[in-house]
Every structure is written in structure tokens, then in C-alpha cells.
Amino acid sequence: MASIKKGVVYLLLGILVVTQVYPLLWLILYSFKTNEEILGGSFFALPASPRFANYTEAYEQGNYLRYLFNSIFVTVITMVVVIVLASMVAYAISRFRWKLAPAALLVFMLGLMIPMQATLLPLMVMFKNIGILNTHWSLILPYIAFQTPVAVFILSGFMKGIPHEIEESAFMDGASVYRIFRSIILPISVPPIMTVCILTFINIWNEYILAATFISSERLKTLPFGVNSFVSQYTTNYGNIGAFLVMGAIPVILIYFILSERITKGMVAGAVKG
Amino acid sequence: MNVLKVRWWTIGIFVLPCLLLYMMMVFVPIVISGYTSLVEWDGIGVNKTFVGLDNYVDILFHDPHFWPAVRRTLMYAVFSMAEIPICLLFAILINRYVKRGNRLVSIYFMPVILSVVIIGQLWKTIYNPLDMGGMINGILNALGMQGHMRAWLSSPQFAMYCLYFVSLWQYFGYHLIIQFTGVQNIPSDIYEAAKIDGADGFKADRYITLPLIVPVFKISIVLAFIGSLQAFDLIMVMTGGGPAHATDVISTLMYNNTFLTFKYGYGSALAMTLVFICLAFTFVINGVFNRIEKKVG
């Protein structure tokens, strides 16, 4: 009886592995097929001989490296600035004595409920007026702003728990608040900072709508936007499309293979604390 | 309370850079949106005609696409929330029957980290008609069910359900891992004590796991709910709201009115409506859960 139960459970879990992973594997197979094989409709057959040309062609026709570099640039700057600014605010909110601290936290928390799409048009008009529309700054600035609420929340939650004795003794020794922040608080806060890094990376690396709305130059496109315009441009070259999609997914998948536990933990922490 | 006392300008140095940027990028746009929603403006000229609440009246009473979009947005939320009990069930099963559950859960998690562009284009390909190599139609063909083959995303009747499914597929792993972490965090000695008292298996789940998992369950529900209200980019990638508005939700309606037909005032009114709905529902859902928590705890 118990073993039947166990068997049923394993069967269910197995089916779930298939539904969650098979579409991704299917895409990889697809990316090595010729157009004839794809259109032939044998959905689970292996390609007769893997067509690597799909990849070289996709690489030559699209600006993969350009997109990749743009995404790295935008994501890294956003991450660094979010961490610096959010940890400063979190420190002030959790450790300084000032009346408006709860109000400041509330203001940031409101941001968690505001849909980013609602700001698209006003931001576009603003950026156009100050002349940064269609530059990477038109992405980086809102990215930073929309990542700060959750970052402030996670960091201030952690910093509240740091024992005050550490700060006090440093203060007695004549260290300034800036010094305490830089040499004591920040090093202690590395674990929540990692969580913030992961959340920011996943959100910004994958962001599509802002990029598609604010960027029009080919050379400024980020990876998701670039992949999407490649795919919509070469609608009938199925193998190349598959190859470009796989190439678009590779960076984040690679990072996930290396850091899967950190990433899942970070995203759970972000969900639970956000 | 031993909190540092510092001068006001020190607080300013720590808080203002972030706060100002944040206000400029989040709150100022919302205020501008609020103003733009009261005018009629095509975005090109400086001619803005003040029309008061006309845009809102049009949305609520004259736009044939608005209420269907609201209905789809709410359906989105219902489907996403309905998935969570299933995630909890799987979380409990994995915790009980699988030795290295973490590994398994991190496999299920894979779709979560991919961009909507990859997910959307992948599923577009899967939903393709047979003569374009679509997988679903390929499977139906192989099973001899040609009668059910169709161009899924071009069918006004089915397209929306196809989109719901992709969202459920992508976020299954996310909610599973949240529930799984919650289940793992329940101390095992509670179960051992219950076993001595004769509560085992599903009985233990009923009286121990469920009450203790409520806070985590709430987190998933809130995330799923807010996420569906804001559901947007996947639809933009896969259908853009079409065919013939069959997959429009509030945000795609807003986007298309603003950036395709350049009705800036009208689009802003839709954006404000979305903001109101998000805020209102967040308060409602928090209120509901506070009650439940009081009852259970």
C-alpha cells in the first residue's frame, strides 16, 4: 500500500518534470533542426544531424554580442547603484533616530504596489524633454527606482537586527557615521545584499517593456528586446529563431547552474520579505 | 532604544539621493498621469484640451473593450491563485517523499528565471499551427486528434486560455518553492509529537501543516494576485492583445491606446484606473488575510 502511494507520487513528480522542462528541451532540439524537419511536424524526433549553421547564421544576422553587452552594462550599473542607494536609506531608516523614518519606509513600500506600466508614458515624455530618451539612462534610472522598494525593505529588515553594541564601541573610538556605515554595517550586511543582487539581476536582466518602449536604436537594445525584434524580423527562418532564443536564454541559465541554490533562496527571501 | 542620533543633514545625505530619484521615477509620473488623464491630447502638439473626468466616463460606460479586459484580468488572478493549493500539495509531497527535494524543486524553478521574451516566443512556437511546426498540434496530429488542431493564438476563443496556461506554467516553480520553503521551516518535532498522539500523514497536514503555512500561503496569494493585475509583458510578446482584442487586459488596453493610437489622455486614464485597482485590491486582500490569520492563529 505504502509503495503504491509512493509510486503514484513519483509518477506525479515525474510528469511535472516533463511539463516544466520538456518545452525547454524541445526548444534546444528545435534550434538544431532544418526548416524541413521543423515543418515536418515530428515534434519529438531528434534532428537527423544537428544543424549548427542555425547558430552561426543567427549569430551573423543578429547583433547578439551587442545586445549581450548592453544588457550586462545596464544590469551591472543598476545593481551597483541600487545596492549603494538602498543600503544608505535602509541604514538611515533602521538605525538613525528621526521622526520621519516610518513615513520614509511607507513611501518606499507604496512603490511595491504601483504598476510600472502606469509610468511608461509620463516617463517617456520626461525623458524626451531632458533628451535622454533612447539612451541607456532612460532604462537605468527607472530600473533603479523600481528596484529600490524591495531592496530597502530587505536591507532595513536585516539592519534592524544588528546589535547596537558594535556601533556604539566604534562611535566611542571616534568613528564617524560614514565610517561605521562603510566599515561595519556594509560588511555585516553582505547576505541580504546578495539577495538584493539576485533579485535585481533577474528582474532587470529580463526586463522587456521599458526597453521596447524607450529604446529605438538597434545598437542600444538589451538582450530581451533584441531577441524579440530578431524573432519578429525573421519569421520564417524557424531554426535560426530557435537558435537565437537559446542564445538569449544561455547567460541566465549558465548563471542558474552555477548559483541555483543562491538564486532560489534569494528569490524566496525577496518574495517572503517583499 | 539605542538608536544613533545624528544631525539632520547626515540623514539627508543618506536618504535624499535615493528618495529623490525614486520620487522622480515613480511618484512624479503617477501625478503627471493623473493630470494627463483629465485632458485630451494626441501627444504631438501642445494642444491639450481639459475634459475633466470625460476620459473616465468613456472608459467605464462607452469603451466596449474595458469591461472584458477587467474580466480577463480578474480571471488571470483567479487562475493564478487556484494554482497555489496545487503547489502546496506538491510541496508537501516532495518534502515527505523525496530525499533531496531541493534539487527537484530547483529543476521546476527553471522557467521562472527566464525572460518573458524567451518564454513568450517559445510558447508561441509551441502553439504554432502544424504547418509551422507547432508542438501542440504536432502531438494532436500524432494522437490522431486532427479535429482539435487549430492556430491556438489566432483563435479568439482559445487565445486567452493559452496565455493563462503559459503564466501558470512559468510561475508554478516560483510558488512551489515558496511553499516548499515554508513546509521545510515547520519544525519536525511538532510532527513527531503529533505522531505520538496518533496524528500522521494527511491528518498531521490538516492540523499542523495547514495552520502553520497560512502566512507563507498568503505571500503566494498576494504575489499571484498583484502579478496578474499587472500581467502585461507576456501578453505583449505573445499576442499584443489580439486577435481582435480577445486577449486584452487592462494594461495592454492602456498600452495600445497610448502608444499605438496615441490617445495619451485616454491611455493615462486607463493607467490611473489600473493604479487604483492595484491599490484597492492590495488593501482588500491584506484585510481578508488579517482576518483569516486571526481566526486560525
Side-chain angles (χ1 to χ4, degrees):
Chain A
M1 186 57 207
S3 67
I4 295 174
K5 225 171 165 184
K6 221 173 173 176
V8 172
V9 169
Y10 284 150
L11 185 68
L12 275 177
L13 295 176
I15 292 172
L16 202 58
V17 170
V18 174
T19 59
Q20 293 306 103
V21 178
Y22 184 67
L24 302 175
L25 288 180
W26 179 77
L27 178 65
I28 295 173
L29 293 182
Y30 189 96
S31 72
F32 284 112
K33 290 182 178 179
T34 62
N35 260 8
E36 289 71 41
E37 280 171 319
I38 289 166
L39 300 181
S42 53
F43 63 93
F44 64 122
L46 293 169
S49 67
R51 188 169 185 274
F52 289 100
N54 284 340
Y55 281 85
T56 49
E57 282 166 22
Y59 180 82
E60 277 159 18
Q61 287 160 9
N63 291 316
Y64 180 71
L65 285 185
R66 183 87 252 180
Y67 303 151
L68 185 67
F69 173 78
N70 287 339
S71 270
I72 294 174
F73 178 77
V74 169
T75 308
V76 168
I77 294 202
T78 306
M79 264 160 85
V80 172
V81 180
V82 164
I83 286 158
V84 171
L85 291 185
S87 57
M88 281 162 62
V89 172
Y91 182 52
I93 287 178
S94 58
R95 316 290 285 193
F96 294 167
R97 192 186 311 183
W98 51 304
K99 274 193 202 127
L100 291 175
L105 188 62
L106 188 73
V107 166
F108 281 106
M109 289 312 99
L110 267 180
L112 289 173
M113 294 178 243
I114 289 178
M116 185 147 126
Q117 305 94 288
T119 63
L120 278 175
L121 174 67
L123 282 181
M124 193 181 85
V125 176
M126 270 167 62
F127 291 157
K128 203 179 194 173
N129 287 340
I130 57 175
I132 60 166
L133 193 66
N134 193 25
T135 67
H136 281 152
W137 296 110
S138 65
L139 299 181
I140 292 171
L141 293 176
Y143 284 170
I144 296 169
F146 275 95
Q147 287 305 311
T148 41
V150 75
V152 167
F153 198 66
I154 290 173
L155 289 168
S156 66
F158 177 87
M159 287 178 186
K160 263 191 198 115
I162 300 175
H164 288 281
E165 289 76 15
I166 304 176
E167 260 171 319
E168 268 162 25
S169 59
F171 206 66
M172 296 299 174
D173 294 342
S176 68
V177 236
Y178 309 101
R179 184 76 203 281
I180 294 176
F181 175 67
R182 214 179 47 231
S183 324
I184 298 176
I185 299 294
L186 277 188
I188 296 180
S189 307
V190 166
I193 286 177
M194 283 305 296
T195 304
V196 171
C197 269
I198 285 161
L199 285 175
T200 310
F201 169 74
I202 296 287
N203 286 335
I204 302 309
W205 186 265
N206 290 335
E207 204 286 330
Y208 164 68
I209 286 293
L210 242 64
T213 312
F214 295 161
I215 299 294
S216 44
S217 305
E218 177 64 25
R219 61 183 180 84
L220 293 174
K221 286 178 182 172
T222 54
L223 198 53
F225 183 27
V227 169
N228 207 47
S229 34
F230 180 90
V231 171
S232 351
Q233 211 175 335
Y234 298 91
T235 41
T236 52
N237 241 331
Y238 300 103
N240 293 5
I241 289 176
F244 213 84
L245 285 175
V246 171
M247 282 156 65
I250 277 176
V252 90
I253 295 275
L254 269 185
I255 291 179
Y256 186 62
F257 274 129
I258 302 167
L259 296 171
S260 70
E261 206 169 323
R262 279 231 161 128
I263 289 178
T264 51
K265 276 204 180 123
M267 298 227 4
V268 170
V272 171
K273 284 165 189 157
Chain B
M1 277 294 277
N2 257 326
V3 187
L4 277 184
K5 219 176 182 173
V6 293
R7 270 185 268 260
W8 61 269
W9 45 262
T10 312
I11 296 175
I13 289 173
F14 274 91
V15 175
L16 280 183
C18 189
L19 191 64
L20 285 180
L21 179 67
Y22 172 73
M23 294 300 252
M24 283 303 293
M25 295 295 130
V26 181
F27 279 85
V28 172
I30 296 289
V31 173
I32 297 179
S33 247
Y35 166 72
T36 317
S37 74
L38 304 177
V39 301
E40 210 168 276
W41 182 33
D42 61 4
I44 302 164
V46 281
N47 286 335
K48 297 181 194 175
T49 331
F50 188 81
V51 294
L53 295 174
D54 279 9
N55 284 326
Y56 292 95
V57 173
D58 280 351
I59 289 172
L60 294 178
F61 300 109
H62 304 301
D63 190 333
H65 305 305
F66 177 70
W67 289 107
V70 171
R71 191 178 52 87
R72 279 180 218 113
T73 304
L74 292 179
M75 285 288 278
Y76 221 118
V78 169
F79 277 117
S80 316
M81 293 192 296
E83 179 184 45
I84 295 168
I86 302 170
C87 294
L88 176 59
L89 178 68
F90 272 101
I92 291 172
L93 289 178
I94 293 172
N95 192 46
R96 183 165 309 153
Y97 289 104
V98 183
K99 263 200 190 125
R100 306 182 74 170
N102 279 324
R103 285 279 170 80
L104 188 62
V105 171
S106 69
I107 292 176
Y108 295 143
F109 192 73
M110 218 132 75
V112 182
I113 55 159
L114 290 173
S115 164
V116 280
V117 169
I118 310 281
I119 300 288
Q121 293 294 355
L122 163 63
W123 278 90
K124 241 169 123 170
T125 328
I126 291 176
Y127 284 133
N128 264 344
L130 186 65
D131 57 11
M132 287 165 74
M135 177 165 87
I136 306 265
N137 288 320
I139 293 175
L140 289 172
N141 190 31
L143 292 174
M145 297 163 72
Q146 280 83 358
H148 292 280
M149 296 190 330
R150 52 174 57 83
W152 295 95
L153 291 176
S154 329
S155 143
Q157 203 188 340
F158 289 97
M160 197 64 218
Y161 291 95
C162 295
L163 293 178
Y164 294 142
F165 182 80
V166 177
S167 269
L168 295 184
W169 176 81
Q170 184 177 13
Y171 288 107
F172 184 87
Y174 189 45
H175 294 299
L176 177 64
I177 212 164
I178 293 173
Q179 307 300 314
F180 182 69
T181 314
V183 173
Q184 273 188 319
N185 284 345
I186 299 173
S188 58
D189 44 345
I190 301 185
Y191 289 105
E192 275 152 29
K195 209 169 187 176
I196 296 168
D197 293 340
D200 208 358
F202 283 105
K203 211 172 177 190
D205 288 331
R206 163 72 184 78
Y207 291 103
I208 302 169
T209 318
L210 284 189
L212 288 177
I213 206 80
V214 168
V216 180
F217 198 74
K218 170 194 160 178
I219 290 161
S220 265
I221 293 275
V222 172
L223 284 174
F225 197 88
I226 306 286
S228 345
L229 290 186
Q230 304 187 3
F232 182 40
D233 28 17
L234 185 75
I235 303 177
M236 287 311 286
V237 170
M238 289 184 70
T239 63
H245 293 280
T247 57
D248 255 335
V249 292
I250 304 173
S251 43
T252 58
L253 203 59
M254 179 272 295
Y255 194 89
N256 291 338
N257 267 298
T258 313
F259 295 102
L260 292 186
T261 46
F262 300 108
K263 294 198 283 191
Y264 279 14
Y266 196 73
S268 298
L270 278 166
M272 292 309 287
T273 313
L274 183 64
V275 172
F276 289 138
I277 292 177
C278 281
L279 291 179
F281 273 107
T282 311
F283 286 119
V284 168
I285 206 164
N286 268 321
V288 168
F289 266 101
N290 284 342
R291 265 206 192 157
I292 293 177
E293 263 170 46
K294 256 182 214 154
K295 263 190 192 160
V296 176

